[in-house]
Amino acid sequence: MSTGTEAHAPTAGEYIVHHLTHLNSTGHAQTAIIDWSVWNLDTLFFSISLGIVTLMLLIKAASKATSGVPGRFQAAVEILVEMVADQAKGIVHSAESRKFVAPVALTVFFWIFLMNSMDFLPVDLLPRIGEMFGLHYLRVVPTADLNGTLGMSIGVLLICLYYNIKIKGFGGWIHELFTAPFGSHPLLYPINFLMQMIEFLAKTVSHGMRLFGNMYAGELVFMLIALMGGTATVFGFLGHIVAGSIWAVFHILIVALQAFIFMMLTLVYIGQAHESH
């Protein structure tokens, strides 16, 4: 005879759906693909909190920088700073622009790395803590939310538009929108403008979708592994431990690689904004 706990235990599908539901401003799952009235509060909280942590770490590293033998934390930050500076120098050829672009790229890398790393926390840890405070839904990986990653890619788009206008002038940029890539013949103006809009849209959407897709898949795999640990057999528990450990090691590469790719694409797109067709 089943106990009350067993009778109300969620199925695998219910477990995954529950963990993929955001804590949002409406109190229920979003049904429409686009709904501007819904705010994913968990994504906002964790992304802003980790953004503050990122700034604090970078400020701490800068304030404790010495000309002598650096500590391990300072040495790690210096390696990343040099890496980003070298990449920025090879992509963004304006020394004046690099004074802003390189720190932005470094901040983006740190920030996304920390947000991605939230995936290493046990799947049920923070949601269970949230339930103690009446929060029935809680997703802790901001980059596994398409709203968050598209928000960041739109931010990169705005920076690109700024440099397009700053480098080429507003008139020069408008002229480029209608004359590139096929030439300045009046008959080609509509086609050129359409191609430019498609390029901006495609770069922005793919920039955000790439990060989201990889982190969403990683989050889903961790949930499936967590379900293995819920089985009553010894083999299920051991499989949970072994599979979780192997996937966590592999996921370290994904977390760092996705942060690096997003940073590099940010530099590439800003570098393209400096170029004239």
Side-chain angles (χ1 to χ4, degrees):
M1 183 174 180
S2 300
T3 65
T5 303
E6 291 173 339
H8 293 88
T11 64
E14 291 171 341
Y15 176 87
I16 292 176
V17 169
H18 179 270
H19 279 280
L20 291 179
T21 303
H22 285 280
L23 172 66
N24 59 47
S25 56
T26 63
H28 54 78
Q30 180 177 331
T31 54
I33 297 177
I34 299 177
D35 189 343
W36 299 104
S37 66
V38 177
W39 292 69
N40 290 340
L41 302 179
D42 43 15
T43 297
L44 289 172
F45 174 78
F46 287 109
S47 60
I48 292 173
S49 298
L50 292 172
I52 294 172
V53 171
T54 298
L55 294 176
M56 291 175 62
L57 289 174
L58 293 177
I59 292 172
K60 178 182 178 181
S63 64
K64 291 191 174 183
T66 60
S67 57
V69 179
R72 285 177 293 180
F73 175 70
Q74 181 183 334
V77 173
E78 287 181 354
I79 291 173
L80 287 174
V81 169
E82 291 176 3
M83 177 196 71
V84 174
D86 290 342
Q87 296 294 340
K89 188 175 181 179
I91 297 173
V92 182
H93 302 299
S94 170
E96 180 183 354
S97 297
R98 286 200 303 271
K99 294 178 182 179
F100 173 77
V101 173
V104 166
L106 179 65
T107 304
V108 164
F109 177 83
F110 260 98
W111 187 26
I112 294 179
F113 181 82
L114 289 180
M115 289 192 288
N116 290 352
S117 297
M118 293 295 287
D119 222 358
F120 294 123
L121 294 175
V123 172
D124 292 309
L125 177 61
L126 292 183
R128 288 285 176 85
I129 295 175
E131 287 179 358
M132 297 178 185
F133 296 92
L135 305 178
H136 300 293
Y137 301 104
L138 190 67
R139 292 185 66 182
V140 302
V141 186
T143 46
D145 179 8
L146 184 58
N147 297 282
T149 57
L150 283 181
M152 289 186 288
S153 65
I154 290 172
V156 173
L157 172 65
L158 294 177
I159 295 176
C160 292
L161 295 180
Y162 166 77
Y163 276 109
N164 267 299
I165 296 172
K166 180 181 179 181
I167 300 299
K168 305 163 188 174
F170 184 75
W173 179 55
I174 295 298
H175 179 265
E176 182 179 88
L177 289 179
F178 287 93
T179 59
F182 298 121
S184 59
H185 194 283
L187 293 177
L188 296 175
Y189 288 170
I191 300 175
N192 288 329
F193 182 77
L194 180 61
M195 292 298 295
Q196 290 278 355
M197 293 301 103
I198 291 175
E199 180 182 354
F200 280 120
L201 179 62
K203 288 194 297 187
T204 301
V205 173
S206 64
H207 199 189
M209 285 288 291
R210 181 181 290 105
L211 177 60
F212 159 73
N214 282 277
M215 298 315 302
Y216 183 89
E219 185 183 38
L220 192 58
V221 170
F222 274 121
M223 291 178 191
L224 294 174
I225 293 173
L227 285 171
M228 294 174 61
T231 60
T233 65
V234 175
F235 291 107
F237 179 75
L238 292 177
H240 163 71
I241 299 298
V242 173
S245 300
I246 294 174
W247 178 247
V249 171
F250 178 70
H251 203 58
I252 292 174
L253 301 176
I254 297 176
V255 163
L257 182 62
Q258 290 306 313
F260 179 77
I261 290 174
F262 195 96
M263 179 203 73
M264 285 300 299
L265 289 175
T266 298
L267 288 174
V268 168
Y269 294 158
I270 295 176
Q272 289 176 345
H274 286 70
E275 300 172 358
S276 298
H277 295 279

